[in-house]
Amino acid sequence: MSAVPMLALIGWSAGQLRQAAREDVVAHAHGAAEVAAGQHNQLLVQVRGLLAVVSRLPQLRDNPDACGAFLQDVRAEYPQYINLGVINIDGSVRCSALPFEPGLNLADRAYFQRVMQRTGFAAGDYQIGRITGVPSINFGYPIKDAAGLVQAVVFVAISADWLTSISAPSVLPVGSTVKLLDHRKQLLVRYPALPTAWADQPEPSGRMLSEALTARPDGGSFASRGRDREARVYAYTRLGGTAGLDNGPYLVVGMPLGALQTRLDRISRWQMVGAATVVMLVAALAWVVLDRRAVAPARRLAVVARRLADGESGVRLDGAGGATEFQAVAHAFDHMAMRTDAAVRALMVLSAGNRVLLRAKNEPELLREMCEVAVSVGGYRYAWVAYVVKTGLQQMATAGDDGGFAGYLQTHWDAALAHQTPTARALTSGQPVVLKDAAAELADHDLFETAANCGLRAGLVLPLRVDGAVQGVLTIYAAQPEAFSAREVELLSEMADDLSFGISTLRLRERHDRVDAHVRRLAYFDPPTGLPNQAAFLDQLAERGASSGDSPSVLVVDLQNHWELAATLGSACGDEFLRVVAGRLQTLSPGLLARVAQSEFALVLWGADEATTRRYAERVLASLRTPANLSAVNADINATVGMALVGPARDDGQRLLQAARLAAREAQLGSGGLLAGPELEQQWGERLALVVDLRSAIAAGDLRLHLQPQLDLRSGRICGFEALARWHHPVHGDVPPSRFVALAERTGLVGPLTYAVLEAAREIAARHAQAGLLLPIAVNISVHNLQDPEFLSRIGEFLGRWPLPRDCLHLELTETAVMDDPAGSIKVLWQLRDLGLPIYLDDFGSGYSSLAYLRELPLNGIKIDRAFVVGLTRPGGQQIVQAMIDLGHALGLRVVAEGIEDQATLDLTASLGCDTGQGYIIARPMASEALAPWLANRNG
């Protein structure tokens, strides 16, 4: 009968172990799934911030080659993204960080369709990428023009390989599985991959998973067997719910029950053996001990057994009378109870640790609560986490009472390393180290003696492996010697692995947060000055206006010489210039200050009328009159100010900023600022419409090319022609070249305009070649052409089709344009000269070129500005022109005088030794069709 309580104890303890272990497996599986979901949501937040910044960058808009190269740089900076690209609104791929098939169209992709519908951030579905060829999810963000219309979609692809981070052995036990299903419950990715032989076999858990997803779509768990017949607990959750992911996929984590059952069976067998041993001992004692001394101990044994069976795992016999046999039975009972108690305690610590892992918001909190769990739940004397740093061992978190030993170990770390104490051995080996009894350790140092004197008799040192390297230890101390059984060490080691995973996850989250903050700062702040950018300016303007109801006045400061300063002295000097200006504007205490463009600052006054705004504009200009004291040079601040007040047509921040910007561009240097009004806005509206018409005219070939003959002043023969573009507008009639060329310069149409003029000149040259007229044609180019990276290659291709000798195509560039970027212009002009093209400096004398630059420029000739030629007959005019001609000849250049309008000026120019003349007295610009009759009449 004495065996009955023992059997009851065995049954109860086995049930308790089985229940606690199963709950731990379920909690662990849920924990892994929730951590993965958190990582997934962090990725989505980071992606949205990155796309918001990238969508505003000019590299994505105009040049597909530059676009692809830029996206490759972004992908190299953020390796978690497997691809980035831009899709045109028709679905064709404009550019991609990875190579793609020509003609690829992604208009049917869910993320593209959702971006076009919402005109905002959208996510697609997990599926196989057409460019990457791997399971991934794509996210899209619109690229909008100034009117807010979607022009393209920038996308980023994230691989499903991030799931491998939670399937590592340090995170999930051997035999675990991780699966990713799309919203249609179709399998996308499985870790580990299935053997080929099982590919066509149905998944036994599939039906139960489908039912569970239908019943509880947001998350849950169930038990089933896999294709390998292994019993597992499956926990699942839906990804993307907190990050706005439509049709989010399901993450399913399966953890095996087989290993758990094996361990429980081993414990049960040990308990059965122990129980059988106890029964045999009791039976032997019953036969041997016949006196009354056996009765009382047996009764005490039965009472303790019943208490153990009732769940009092901490009860002990503490001796069982004088009989040696009963004392052995008592010790066996105590040992079995302690082993059971230790296993339950360790499982409770592991389970509580899993809950801490899910709850902790940062690394210090995680470390502190893990130590508190070990002490409060496990009943250990002391727990601490320490990291290895350059100076030794740094305490990160503690719980319990160490009697001062942790501080002692930190100050004697060199001795601990030299003698390979348990902490040092765990750090160097990466394996758990058990200290059975500090008082019994023999050593030639006093570290063990100090630990024992501090009340720390037994210890367990568990290494913390983070990002593939041991970075610290979790140490747990007990007041009793030999307090850590093998099973307890195994379970607490699993807790240390969980802690390592939690540290890695929180650090990854922290890195993502830093990246996200950096991306957000790039999206809303100007790096050189630290001021808000245009997006932040408009947001703050709208927020303040909505909350206070005050009417804003917007002022825009346009720095006229910033680009020239940066181009000449470098971008660092340009940024220093901007910071000086920003500092001066901040001293004026505006309601809001921002840098809204490369050379523009915007300021806001609240509740100011027109007079107050004008006075404030005067203060702004006054603050900028003193030159900027830069590290390289003292530079003048050439600025204009435009102002805009709230009105019927300017009722929001965007319109106010645009109106003030237009006024700043129209304002003259030295003026007191220009206030935007209806007339100015109407003028800019007409100018914008004219730009649209000009673009269409260039594309349709509606521009006409007129030629103005040039006269050799020595022989009296026609020696060449200058090509001049003409535009007849269907509504406005003939538009002056000075007007539409200036518009082309400002709006980026000068490239198409130049190429259109060259093509028209080629057609005329072809007719000249057929007629045997081998005279040069001069074409004007812009400094913007020299800054175009494709200009040289296009000129080289054009020369292959030019019908006349190459020296019959002259290129003219104004002196002012060359001096805007002398270093860059000189380099490109030499390359043009190497192609065999003569180069002429137009409008000579109107700019500020120096003799040094004239000597370095690869010129064939100069064209004296018409202002000097027209004033040739005035006092002093003849001497100036003579000096220019002599200078040109001294440099070996041919000299052309343009603007000759009467015979006297023509004769005087020839007498001064000028080589070529051009002007109305010789011939007005004429259509190419009229040139042949004019030449025939002149020669006849």
Side-chain angles (χ1 to χ4, degrees):
M1 295 299 293
S2 61
V4 173
M6 300 177 199
L7 295 175
L9 170 64
I10 292 170
W12 172 83
S13 62
Q16 289 291 102
L17 283 172
R18 189 181 305 277
Q19 181 63 26
R22 184 183 180 91
E23 290 176 355
D24 176 62
V25 171
V26 173
H28 199 158
H30 271 293
E34 291 299 327
V35 168
Q39 292 179 347
H40 188 267
N41 287 339
Q42 283 295 116
L43 280 176
L44 300 190
V45 173
Q46 180 185 357
V47 165
R48 184 167 191 160
L50 175 70
L51 291 180
V53 173
V54 171
S55 67
R56 296 187 177 97
L57 299 178
Q59 293 95 324
L60 306 187
R61 299 180 183 275
D62 305 319
N63 191 333
D65 294 335
C67 170
F70 172 76
L71 293 179
Q72 290 174 9
D73 294 340
V74 175
R75 180 172 176 262
E77 183 71 19
Y78 299 95
Q80 63 267 42
Y81 306 135
I82 60 174
N83 192 26
L84 299 95
V86 176
I87 308 172
N88 296 316
I89 57 175
D90 62 355
S92 61
V93 179
R94 177 183 300 177
C95 60
S96 168
L98 294 179
F100 60 92
E101 293 292 334
L104 177 63
N105 193 288
L106 302 177
D108 61 332
R109 287 306 203 190
Y111 66 91
F112 175 79
Q113 295 175 354
R114 290 167 185 158
V115 170
M116 298 301 294
Q117 292 170 359
R118 304 173 184 173
T119 68
F121 175 76
D125 303 328
Y126 270 93
Q127 55 194 158
I128 304 298
R130 290 182 183 161
I131 298 178
T132 62
V134 299
S136 60
I137 183 171
N138 286 57
F139 302 87
Y141 201 94
I143 299 176
K144 299 180 180 180
D145 58 14
L149 300 178
V150 178
Q151 297 297 306
V153 174
V154 58
F155 71 89
V156 63
I158 300 178
S159 171
D161 287 344
W162 61 273
L163 292 176
T164 57
S165 63
I166 69 165
S167 61
S170 62
V171 180
L172 298 177
V174 176
S176 299
T177 64
V178 179
K179 293 186 285 188
L180 187 69
L181 282 66
D182 64 14
H183 65 281
R184 296 180 296 272
K185 306 172 187 175
Q186 298 297 314
L187 180 65
L188 294 172
V189 183
R190 186 186 192 276
Y191 295 103
L194 284 171
T196 306
W198 293 354
D200 297 328
Q201 298 180 18
E203 178 73 58
S205 61
R207 180 181 57 82
M208 296 186 66
L209 174 60
S210 178
E211 294 174 354
L213 292 177
T214 302
R216 298 182 300 279
D218 294 329
S221 62
F222 63 92
S224 181
R225 294 184 181 273
R227 286 188 177 95
D228 54 2
R229 312 309 300 168
E230 175 79 30
R232 292 183 177 86
V233 169
Y234 293 90
Y236 63 91
T237 187
R238 194 159 196 175
L239 302 180
T242 62
L245 178 61
D246 296 327
N247 296 327
Y250 294 97
L251 178 69
V252 184
V253 178
M255 297 181 62
L257 292 171
L260 168 66
Q261 185 62 47
T262 301
R263 293 194 298 268
L264 293 176
D265 290 344
R266 188 183 307 118
I267 294 173
S268 298
R269 285 197 299 272
W270 181 88
Q271 291 175 329
M272 291 296 294
V273 171
T277 302
V278 172
V279 171
M280 291 175 65
L281 288 174
V282 172
L285 288 175
W287 284 98
V288 175
V289 182
L290 299 177
D291 56 17
R292 294 179 59 186
R293 292 180 61 191
V295 175
R299 185 178 297 113
R300 290 175 56 196
L301 182 62
V303 170
V304 170
R306 282 195 299 271
R307 292 174 63 189
L308 285 172
D310 289 337
E312 296 185 43
S313 60
V315 69
R316 302 291 184 270
L317 281 170
D318 298 327
T324 303
E325 292 82 355
F326 271 102
Q327 290 179 354
V329 172
H331 288 314
F333 251 91
D334 286 347
H335 183 65
M336 182 174 63
M338 285 189 294
R339 292 287 297 273
T340 302
D341 185 39
V344 172
R345 177 178 61 183
L347 280 172
M348 292 172 61
V349 170
L350 181 60
S351 180
N354 283 333
R355 291 192 292 273
V356 168
L357 198 66
L358 296 175
R359 188 174 59 243
K361 297 295 187 294
N362 53 64
E363 187 172 338
E365 178 185 347
L366 173 66
L367 301 181
R368 183 181 65 255
E369 293 198 10
M370 279 292 195
C371 291
E372 291 176 354
V373 162
V375 173
S376 61
V377 177
Y380 300 106
R381 173 69 179 270
Y382 180 69
W384 77 318
V385 173
Y387 287 170
V388 178
V389 295
K390 292 182 179 180
T391 56
L393 206 62
Q394 181 178 352
Q395 178 177 292
M396 305 303 297
T398 65
D401 180 15
D402 71 331
F405 178 70
Y408 180 85
L409 180 59
Q410 287 179 270
T411 57
H412 293 75
W413 179 240
D414 290 339
L417 279 177
H419 294 90
Q420 284 295 291
T421 59
T423 301
R425 293 205 307 274
L427 286 171
T428 55
S429 68
Q431 299 297 322
V433 177
V434 178
L435 174 63
K436 293 184 177 181
D437 188 355
E441 293 285 338
L442 299 177
D444 55 358
H445 56 80
D446 57 359
L447 291 171
F448 293 130
E449 181 182 353
T450 302
N453 292 337
C454 292
L456 309 178
R457 292 290 298 275
L460 174 60
V461 186
L462 302 165
L464 299 176
R465 189 178 298 274
V466 180
D467 296 332
V470 176
Q471 296 190 8
V473 291
L474 166 63
T475 305
I476 301 174
Y477 289 102
Q480 303 80 22
E482 300 188 11
F484 297 96
S485 66
R487 175 59 178 155
E488 199 169 358
V489 172
E490 181 183 349
L491 292 171
L492 293 176
S493 297
E494 188 175 342
M495 173 188 173
D497 290 339
D498 290 345
L499 177 57
S500 298
F501 174 71
I503 294 171
S504 298
T505 300
L506 290 173
R507 289 182 181 179
L508 176 63
R509 185 184 302 169
E510 183 180 355
R511 288 195 294 270
H512 286 174
D513 290 343
R514 287 198 299 269
V515 170
D516 182 59
H518 179 65
V519 169
R520 288 182 180 277
R521 182 161 187 83
L522 289 177
Y524 290 101
F525 288 88
D526 171 52
T529 63
L531 294 175
N533 61 12
Q534 178 170 316
F537 175 81
L538 294 175
D539 288 347
Q540 295 180 37
L541 190 63
E543 182 179 349
R544 168 69 184 272
S547 61
S548 67
D550 293 336
S551 296
S553 299
V554 175
L555 297 88
V556 168
V557 178
D558 190 353
L559 303 177
Q560 303 292 314
N561 59 333
H562 168 247
W563 186 92
E564 175 189 336
L565 192 69
T568 305
L569 299 178
S571 60
C573 185
D575 290 346
E576 184 183 5
F577 182 73
L578 292 173
R579 286 190 289 272
V580 170
V581 173
R584 295 189 186 179
L585 296 178
Q586 284 176 320
T587 62
L588 302 177
S589 302
L592 178 60
L593 173 64
R595 184 185 175 208
V596 294
Q598 183 180 25
S599 302
E600 293 179 353
F601 290 87
L603 305 93
V604 175
L605 298 178
W606 294 100
D609 57 14
E610 180 178 338
T612 303
T613 303
R614 288 186 181 276
R615 287 194 298 270
Y616 193 83
E618 291 290 347
R619 290 179 58 199
V620 169
L621 291 170
S623 72
L624 301 178
R625 290 194 180 104
T626 305
N629 186 14
L630 307 180
S631 56
V633 68
N634 285 343
D636 291 334
I637 305 175
N638 298 332
T640 60
V641 175
M643 300 165 282
L645 306 179
V646 172
R650 298 186 295 275
D651 56 354
D652 64 10
Q654 183 70 55
R655 291 188 174 90
L656 275 173
L657 177 62
Q658 182 65 16
R661 177 175 283 157
L662 298 181
R665 293 181 180 177
E666 287 295 316
Q668 300 295 321
L669 285 174
S671 68
L674 182 63
L675 180 67
E679 301 83 4
L680 178 64
E681 293 178 357
Q682 180 181 358
Q683 177 184 349
W684 271 88
E686 293 174 354
R687 188 178 301 175
L688 179 60
L690 199 62
V691 169
V692 175
D693 293 342
L694 177 60
R695 186 188 303 273
S696 300
I698 294 173
D702 291 341
L703 298 183
R704 306 289 294 173
L705 199 63
H706 285 196
L707 299 179
Q708 185 172 25
Q710 296 175 334
L711 182 69
D712 187 318
L713 296 180
R714 290 187 175 88
S715 66
R717 294 179 178 275
I718 299 301
C719 59
F721 311 95
E722 181 178 4
L724 301 169
R726 295 292 184 263
W727 179 27
H728 182 79
H729 192 278
V731 175
H732 304 293
D734 290 330
V735 181
S738 59
R739 185 179 185 190
F740 72 78
V741 172
L743 281 179
E745 292 271 4
R746 288 187 177 185
T747 58
L749 289 177
V750 69
L753 177 61
T754 300
Y755 298 133
V757 171
L758 285 170
E759 285 298 326
R762 184 189 63 80
E763 294 176 1
I764 295 173
R767 293 196 293 270
H768 286 188
Q770 291 176 356
L773 186 62
L774 303 181
L775 295 178
I777 298 176
V779 174
N780 290 278
I781 62 174
S782 164
V783 69
H784 295 290
N785 297 129
L786 302 184
Q787 295 167 353
D788 181 0
E790 297 183 355
F791 183 64
L792 285 171
S793 62
R794 293 195 63 167
I795 289 295
E797 182 273 332
F798 174 79
L799 289 175
R801 297 181 288 110
W802 178 251
L804 296 176
R806 291 192 177 191
D807 60 0
C808 285
L809 175 61
H810 293 185
L811 298 182
E812 295 184 2
L813 188 69
T814 65
E815 179 185 8
T816 304
V818 170
M819 299 314 298
D820 279 344
D821 181 17
S825 297
I826 290 173
K827 179 181 178 181
V828 178
L829 288 174
W830 272 109
Q831 292 173 306
L832 291 170
R833 175 72 175 271
D834 291 341
L835 292 175
L837 300 176
I839 309 294
Y840 279 73
L841 189 65
D842 200 6
D843 297 339
F844 180 70
S846 63
Y848 49 90
S849 58
S850 67
L851 292 179
Y853 278 123
L854 279 178
R855 188 174 59 250
E856 293 181 18
L857 288 170
L859 299 177
N860 294 82
I862 58 175
K863 297 185 70 174
I864 300 174
D865 186 76
R866 61 177 291 109
F868 297 100
V869 177
V870 170
L872 190 59
T873 58
R874 299 171 187 169
Q878 182 175 334
Q879 289 81 358
I880 294 175
V881 173
Q882 181 71 70
M884 291 180 177
I885 294 172
D886 293 343
L887 175 62
H889 288 164
L891 294 174
L893 305 177
R894 189 171 181 83
V895 180
V896 180
E898 55 182 350
I900 302 175
E901 299 184 356
D902 55 60
Q903 188 64 42
T905 304
L906 178 64
D907 295 339
L908 185 55
T909 304
S911 68
L912 295 176
C914 188
D915 302 300
T916 305
Q918 179 180 339
Y920 286 176
I921 188 61
I922 301 168
R924 291 177 175 272
M926 65 188 73
S928 60
E929 297 82 1
L931 184 61
W934 181 85
L935 287 173
N937 182 60
R938 177 180 177 83
N939 295 334

